[in-house]
Each structure stands twice: as C-alpha cells, then as structure tokens.
Coordinates of all heavy atoms in Angstrom, one line a residue:
N59 N -99.9 32.8 -57.1 CA -99.7 32.3 -55.7 C -98.8 33.3 -54.9 O -98.6 33.1 -53.7 CB -99.1 30.9 -55.7 CG -100.0 29.9 -56.3 OD1 -101.2 29.9 -55.9 ND2 -99.6 29.1 -57.2
L60 N -98.2 34.3 -55.5 CA -97.4 35.2 -54.8 C -98.2 36.2 -53.9 O -99.4 36.3 -54.1 CB -96.6 36.1 -55.9 CG -95.5 35.3 -56.7 CD1 -95.0 36.2 -57.8 CD2 -94.4 34.8 -55.8
P61 N -97.6 36.8 -52.9 CA -98.3 37.7 -52.0 C -99.0 38.8 -52.8 O -98.6 39.2 -53.9 CB -97.2 38.2 -51.1 CG -96.1 37.2 -51.2 CD -96.2 36.7 -52.6
A62 N -100.1 39.3 -52.2 CA -100.9 40.4 -52.8 C -100.1 41.6 -53.1 O -100.4 42.4 -54.0 CB -102.1 40.7 -51.9
S63 N -99.0 41.8 -52.3 CA -98.1 43.0 -52.5 C -97.3 42.9 -53.8 O -96.8 43.9 -54.3 CB -97.2 43.1 -51.3 OG -96.4 42.0 -51.2
Y64 N -97.2 41.7 -54.4 CA -96.5 41.6 -55.6 C -97.3 42.1 -56.8 O -98.4 41.6 -57.0 CB -96.1 40.1 -55.9 CG -95.2 39.9 -57.1 CD1 -93.9 40.0 -57.1 CD2 -95.9 39.6 -58.3 CE1 -93.1 39.8 -58.2 CE2 -95.1 39.4 -59.5 CZ -93.7 39.5 -59.4 OH -93.0 39.3 -60.6
K65 N -96.8 43.0 -57.6 CA -97.5 43.6 -58.7 C -97.1 42.9 -60.0 O -95.9 42.7 -60.2 CB -97.3 45.1 -58.8 CG -97.6 45.8 -57.5 CD -99.0 45.7 -57.1 CE -99.4 46.4 -55.8 NZ -100.7 46.2 -55.3
S66 N -98.0 42.7 -60.9 CA -97.7 42.2 -62.2 C -96.7 43.1 -62.9 O -96.9 44.3 -63.0 CB -99.0 42.1 -63.0 OG -98.7 42.0 -64.4
R67 N -95.6 42.5 -63.4 CA -94.6 43.3 -64.2 C -95.3 43.8 -65.5 O -94.9 44.9 -65.9 CB -93.4 42.5 -64.5 CG -92.6 42.1 -63.2 CD -92.2 43.3 -62.4 NE -91.4 43.0 -61.2 CZ -91.9 43.1 -60.0 NH1 -93.2 43.4 -59.8 NH2 -91.2 42.8 -58.9
N68 N -96.1 43.1 -66.1 CA -96.8 43.5 -67.3 C -97.6 44.8 -67.0 O -97.6 45.8 -67.7 CB -97.7 42.5 -67.8 CG -97.0 41.2 -68.2 OD1 -96.1 41.2 -69.1 ND2 -97.3 40.1 -67.5
N69 N -98.4 44.7 -65.9 CA -99.2 45.8 -65.5 C -98.4 47.1 -65.1 O -98.8 48.2 -65.5 CB -100.2 45.4 -64.4 CG -101.4 46.3 -64.2 OD1 -101.8 46.9 -65.2 ND2 -101.9 46.4 -63.0
L70 N -97.3 46.9 -64.4 CA -96.4 48.0 -64.0 C -95.9 48.7 -65.2 O -95.8 49.9 -65.2 CB -95.3 47.4 -63.1 CG -95.7 47.2 -61.7 CD1 -94.5 46.5 -61.0 CD2 -96.0 48.5 -61.0
L71 N -95.5 47.9 -66.3 CA -95.0 48.6 -67.5 C -96.0 49.5 -68.1 O -95.7 50.6 -68.5 CB -94.5 47.5 -68.5 CG -93.1 46.9 -68.3 CD1 -92.9 45.8 -69.2 CD2 -92.1 48.0 -68.6
R72 N -97.2 49.0 -68.2 CA -98.3 49.7 -68.9 C -98.7 51.0 -68.1 O -98.9 52.0 -68.7 CB -99.5 48.8 -69.1 CG -99.3 47.6 -70.0 CD -100.5 46.9 -70.4 NE -101.2 46.2 -69.3 CZ -101.0 45.0 -69.0 NH1 -100.1 44.3 -69.7 NH2 -101.7 44.4 -68.0
T73 N -98.7 50.9 -66.8 CA -99.1 52.0 -66.0 C -98.0 53.0 -65.8 O -98.2 54.2 -65.8 CB -99.7 51.6 -64.6 OG1 -98.7 50.7 -63.9 CG2 -101.0 50.8 -64.8
T74 N -96.8 52.5 -65.6 CA -95.6 53.4 -65.3 C -95.4 54.3 -66.6 O -95.1 55.5 -66.5 CB -94.4 52.6 -65.0 OG1 -94.6 51.8 -63.8 CG2 -93.2 53.5 -64.7
L75 N -95.5 53.6 -67.8 CA -95.2 54.4 -69.0 C -96.5 55.0 -69.6 O -96.5 55.6 -70.7 CB -94.6 53.4 -70.0 CG -93.3 52.8 -69.6 CD1 -92.8 51.7 -70.6 CD2 -92.2 53.9 -69.5
D76 N -97.6 54.8 -68.9 CA -98.9 55.3 -69.3 C -99.3 54.9 -70.7 O -99.7 55.7 -71.6 CB -99.0 56.9 -69.2 CG -100.4 57.4 -69.2 OD1 -101.3 56.6 -68.9 OD2 -100.6 58.6 -69.6
L77 N -99.1 53.6 -71.0 CA -99.5 53.0 -72.3 C -101.0 52.7 -72.3 O -101.4 51.6 -72.1 CB -98.6 51.7 -72.5 CG -97.1 51.9 -72.5 CD1 -96.4 50.6 -72.5 CD2 -96.7 52.8 -73.7
Y78 N -101.7 53.7 -72.5 CA -103.2 53.6 -72.2 C -104.0 52.9 -73.2 O -105.1 52.5 -72.9 CB -103.7 55.0 -71.9 CG -103.7 56.0 -73.1 CD1 -104.7 56.0 -74.1 CD2 -102.6 56.9 -73.3 CE1 -104.6 56.8 -75.2 CE2 -102.5 57.7 -74.4 CZ -103.6 57.7 -75.3 OH -103.5 58.5 -76.4
A79 N -103.5 52.8 -74.4 CA -104.3 52.1 -75.5 C -103.7 50.8 -75.9 O -102.6 50.8 -76.5 CB -104.4 53.1 -76.7
N80 N -104.4 49.7 -75.6 CA -104.0 48.4 -76.2 C -104.8 48.2 -77.4 O -106.0 48.3 -77.4 CB -104.2 47.3 -75.1 CG -103.9 45.9 -75.7 OD1 -104.8 45.1 -75.9 ND2 -102.7 45.7 -76.0
V81 N -104.1 47.9 -78.5 CA -104.7 47.8 -79.8 C -104.4 46.4 -80.4 O -103.2 46.0 -80.4 CB -104.2 48.8 -80.8 CG1 -104.9 48.7 -82.2 CG2 -104.5 50.2 -80.3
M82 N -105.4 45.7 -80.8 CA -105.3 44.4 -81.4 C -106.2 44.2 -82.6 O -107.4 44.5 -82.5 CB -105.6 43.3 -80.3 CG -105.2 41.9 -80.7 SD -105.4 40.8 -79.3 CE -106.5 39.6 -79.9
H83 N -105.6 43.8 -83.7 CA -106.3 43.6 -85.0 C -106.5 42.2 -85.2 O -105.5 41.4 -85.4 CB -105.5 44.3 -86.1 CG -106.3 44.3 -87.4 ND1 -105.7 44.6 -88.6 CD2 -107.6 44.0 -87.7 CE1 -106.6 44.5 -89.6 NE2 -107.7 44.1 -89.1
C84 N -107.7 41.7 -85.2 CA -108.0 40.3 -85.5 C -108.7 40.1 -86.8 O -109.7 40.7 -87.0 CB -108.9 39.7 -84.4 SG -108.1 39.6 -82.8
Q85 N -108.0 39.4 -87.7 CA -108.6 39.1 -89.0 C -108.3 37.7 -89.4 O -107.2 37.2 -89.2 CB -108.2 40.1 -90.0 CG -106.7 40.2 -90.3 CD -106.3 41.3 -91.3 OE1 -105.3 41.9 -91.2 NE2 -107.2 41.5 -92.2
T86 N -109.2 37.1 -90.1 CA -109.0 35.7 -90.6 C -108.0 35.8 -91.8 O -107.9 36.7 -92.6 CB -110.3 35.1 -91.1 OG1 -111.0 36.0 -91.9 CG2 -111.2 34.6 -90.0
L87 N -107.2 34.7 -91.9 CA -106.1 34.6 -92.9 C -106.4 33.4 -93.8 O -106.8 32.4 -93.4 CB -104.8 34.4 -92.3 CG -104.3 35.5 -91.3 CD1 -102.9 35.1 -90.7 CD2 -104.1 36.8 -92.1
P88 N -106.2 33.6 -95.1 CA -106.4 32.5 -96.1 C -105.4 31.4 -95.6 O -104.2 31.7 -95.3 CB -106.0 33.1 -97.4 CG -106.2 34.6 -97.3 CD -105.9 34.9 -95.8
G89 N -105.8 30.2 -95.7 CA -104.9 29.1 -95.4 C -104.9 28.7 -93.9 O -104.3 27.7 -93.5
V90 N -105.6 29.4 -93.1 CA -105.8 29.1 -91.7 C -107.3 28.7 -91.5 O -108.2 29.5 -91.6 CB -105.4 30.2 -90.7 CG1 -105.7 29.8 -89.3 CG2 -104.0 30.6 -90.9
R91 N -107.5 27.4 -91.1 CA -108.8 26.9 -90.9 C -109.5 27.5 -89.6 O -108.9 27.4 -88.5 CB -108.9 25.4 -90.9 CG -108.5 24.7 -92.2 CD -108.6 23.2 -92.1 NE -110.0 22.9 -91.8 CZ -110.4 21.6 -91.6 NH1 -109.5 20.6 -91.6 NH2 -111.7 21.4 -91.4
T92 N -110.6 28.1 -89.8 CA -111.4 28.7 -88.6 C -112.8 28.4 -88.9 O -113.3 28.2 -90.0 CB -111.1 30.2 -88.5 OG1 -111.5 30.9 -89.7 CG2 -109.7 30.5 -88.2
R93 N -113.6 28.5 -87.8 CA -115.0 28.3 -87.9 C -115.7 29.4 -88.7 O -116.7 29.2 -89.4 CB -115.6 28.2 -86.5 CG -117.1 27.9 -86.4 CD -117.6 27.7 -85.0 NE -117.0 26.6 -84.3 CZ -117.4 25.4 -84.4 NH1 -118.5 25.1 -85.1 NH2 -116.8 24.4 -83.7
H94 N -115.3 30.6 -88.5 CA -115.8 31.8 -89.1 C -114.9 32.4 -90.1 O -113.6 32.3 -89.9 CB -116.2 32.9 -88.1 CG -117.3 32.4 -87.1 ND1 -118.6 32.4 -87.5 CD2 -117.2 32.1 -85.8 CE1 -119.3 32.0 -86.4 NE2 -118.4 31.8 -85.4
R95 N -115.4 32.9 -91.2 CA -114.6 33.6 -92.2 C -114.9 35.1 -92.2 O -115.8 35.6 -91.6 CB -114.8 33.1 -93.6 CG -114.7 31.5 -93.8 CD -113.3 31.1 -93.4 NE -112.2 31.7 -94.2 CZ -110.9 31.7 -93.9 NH1 -110.5 31.1 -92.8 NH2 -110.1 32.3 -94.7
N96 N -114.0 35.9 -92.9 CA -114.3 37.3 -93.1 C -114.4 38.1 -91.8 O -115.2 39.0 -91.7 CB -115.5 37.5 -94.0 CG -115.4 36.8 -95.3 OD1 -114.4 36.9 -96.0 ND2 -116.5 36.2 -95.7
I97 N -113.5 37.7 -90.8 CA -113.5 38.5 -89.6 C -112.4 39.6 -89.8 O -111.3 39.3 -90.2 CB -113.1 37.6 -88.4 CG1 -114.2 36.5 -88.2 CG2 -112.9 38.4 -87.1 CD1 -113.8 35.5 -87.1
D98 N -112.7 40.8 -89.4 CA -111.8 41.9 -89.4 C -112.2 42.9 -88.3 O -112.9 43.9 -88.6 CB -111.8 42.6 -90.8 CG -110.8 43.7 -91.0 OD1 -110.0 43.9 -90.1 OD2 -110.8 44.3 -92.1
I99 N -111.7 42.7 -87.1 CA -112.1 43.5 -86.0 C -110.9 44.2 -85.3 O -109.8 43.5 -85.1 CB -112.7 42.6 -84.9 CG1 -113.9 41.8 -85.5 CG2 -113.2 43.4 -83.7 CD1 -114.5 40.7 -84.6
M100 N -111.0 45.4 -85.0 CA -110.0 46.2 -84.3 C -110.5 46.3 -82.8 O -111.7 46.8 -82.6 CB -109.8 47.6 -84.8 CG -109.3 47.6 -86.3 SD -107.6 47.1 -86.4 CE -106.7 48.2 -85.4

C-alpha cells in the first residue's frame, strides 16, 4: 500500500550488492509428513 516510489528493502539489498544467484535446496525429510517423498531439487 506504500507509494510506488518506495522500493522493497529486500530487493534493494539483492541489487545493490549484486547478489545475482538465489539458491534453494528443497528435499523431503524423514519424520515430516508430506504428500510426496524422495524430493531433492535445487
């Protein structure tokens, strides 16, 4: 709801520091109930 001129602080950090690669590793864990098993995605 802030004015369009207000920039996301998260986005400013990533662009100002040129943090160009966001990496997330998603894998199922034993003991955590999920619909799917054996997920291992980067």
Side-chain angles (χ1 to χ4, degrees):
N59 293 314
L60 291 172
S63 58
Y64 182 87
K65 306 301 182 185
S66 160
R67 294 300 179 260
N68 300 297
N69 199 27
L70 280 174
L71 275 172
R72 297 193 290 270
T73 54
T74 302
L75 298 174
D76 198 24
L77 301 171
Y78 62 87
N80 176 247
V81 181
M82 193 168 120
H83 185 191
C84 290
Q85 59 183 148
T86 45
L87 298 175
V90 177
R91 293 186 60 186
T92 56
R93 183 178 297 273
H94 297 283
R95 306 301 302 168
N96 303 317
I97 298 173
D98 186 1
I99 305 171
M100 298 290 299

